[in-house]
Amino acid sequence: MSLAENIRKVQDHIAAAAREVGRDPGEITLVAATKVQTSETIREAIAAGITVCGENRVQEMTAHLADNAYEGAALHFIGHLQTNKVKFVVGRVNLIESVGSEHLLEAIEAQAAKLGMVQDILLEVNVGGEASKSGVAPEELPALARRAVELEHVRLRGLMAIPPAARLPGENRPFFAEMKQLFIDIKSKIDDNGPVIDYLSMGMSGDYMDAVREGATLVRVGTALFGPRPPMGKTP
Ligand SMILES: *Cc1c(COP(=O)(O)O)cnc(C)c1O
């Protein structure tokens, strides 16, 4: 199948999952996870209807930006971000989805202040409680969210999660439901203070329909659009 056909298929699945639970499919945005893809493939995806690209490697993103590969789409940073690379990301992306610590939050604030701009962010929640994953623990989320709201140069827009790799279909649905509840809680605590908490980013190739059923507004899909990636570390 061609990239354009894959995009249409994933969009159809998103719409079907949304309708199943009485949601408007227009509430959900497909984010194309473009890691390891070439600038040419990224342009092709945008021409075929992709409106948001998600990158998780600073170096690749910087090269694609120099190529103008994302023209016509918004850009989200979705990967693990080291504080020493914050300067390459702040101000260059519409949304940093993967802010999982106060340390990173403060580094983004400092860089955005330096640039005189406000950076939109999501807080990444370690919903599966995995030691290997970044993200704030659910118990620590309210405090981190309060801190984010205090900062002048970041704007908290919602939450993101990468649940454990599912071995069985439907396995991650409880994590998505938990994320929806955390999202509602944070929204109720924070929305009346001004900022709009409107993004809940969850769901990847194997489980995005369940994520939509549980309330995702952003789904980040790579493999189902572009095909399998080479194993990690084997990429040029
Ligand atoms: C690669 C990636 C995805 C997409 O994963 P697929 O399983 O290929 O759909 C989603 N989110 C993040 C943070 C990623 O790094």
Side-chain angles (χ1 to χ4, degrees):
M1 284 230 279
S2 73
L3 176 54
E5 285 169 323
N6 288 344
I7 292 169
R8 204 169 320 118
K9 195 178 74 181
V10 170
Q11 278 167 339
D12 286 349
H13 286 166
I14 290 169
R19 288 199 195 92
E20 253 179 57
V21 295
R23 298 185 64 198
D24 172 4
E27 292 171 14
I28 301 126
T29 302
L30 170 60
V31 178
T34 47
K35 58 176 171 275
V36 318
Q37 306 305 328
T38 62
S39 291
E40 195 185 340
T41 301
I42 292 170
R43 284 193 197 95
E44 200 189 318
I46 295 167
I50 288 297
T51 58
V52 185
C53 294
E55 278 294 351
N56 63 349
R57 294 173 193 178
V58 172
Q59 220 174 337
E60 282 179 35
M61 186 181 90
T62 303
H64 292 317
L65 279 169
D67 265 356
N68 276 323
Y70 307 113
E71 209 175 312
L75 180 58
H76 292 185
F77 192 81
I78 63 176
H80 180 66
L81 182 56
Q82 292 165 289
T83 47
N84 64 344
K85 299 212 169 126
V86 156
K87 59 179 176 293
F88 301 114
V89 177
V90 171
R92 296 186 181 174
V93 304
N94 303 85
L95 183 67
I96 303 176
E97 294 199 11
S98 41
V99 183
S101 70
E102 176 151 11
H103 185 56
L104 179 58
L105 182 66
E106 303 285 351
I108 293 169
E109 165 68 19
Q111 179 64 16
K114 200 165 147 187
L115 299 177
M117 47 90 60
V118 175
Q119 177 68 60
D120 280 5
I121 63 149
L122 305 183
L123 294 178
E124 180 178 350
V125 182
N126 187 356
V127 70
E130 294 172 287
S132 63
K133 288 251 171 84
S134 41
V136 62
E139 319 72 89
E140 289 158 20
L141 174 63
L144 190 60
R146 272 194 299 274
R147 181 65 190 136
V149 170
E150 283 169 8
L151 298 173
E152 255 182 76
H153 302 90
V154 300
R155 179 164 55 192
L156 177 61
R157 297 293 300 271
L159 304 180
M160 180 268 219
I162 310 173
R167 259 162 266 111
L168 297 168
E171 208 173 31
N172 277 339
R173 194 156 170 178
F175 289 123
F176 296 142
E178 185 184 339
M179 281 302 299
K180 174 69 187 211
Q181 196 53 53
L182 291 170
F183 179 72
I184 291 169
D185 293 348
I186 288 294
K187 222 170 142 58
S188 71
K189 285 197 181 95
I190 284 173
D191 256 2
D192 45 329
N193 297 338
V196 181
I197 308 289
D198 49 0
Y199 289 130
L200 179 56
S201 175
M202 57 188 190
M204 311 190 351
S205 290
D207 53 20
Y208 66 87
M209 289 182 76
D210 274 346
V212 168
R213 290 179 185 113
E214 294 295 348
T217 69
L218 298 170
V219 294
R220 309 174 310 269
V221 178
T223 310
L225 302 177
F226 302 108
R229 290 179 294 272
M232 289 264 268
K234 297 260 172 67
T235 54

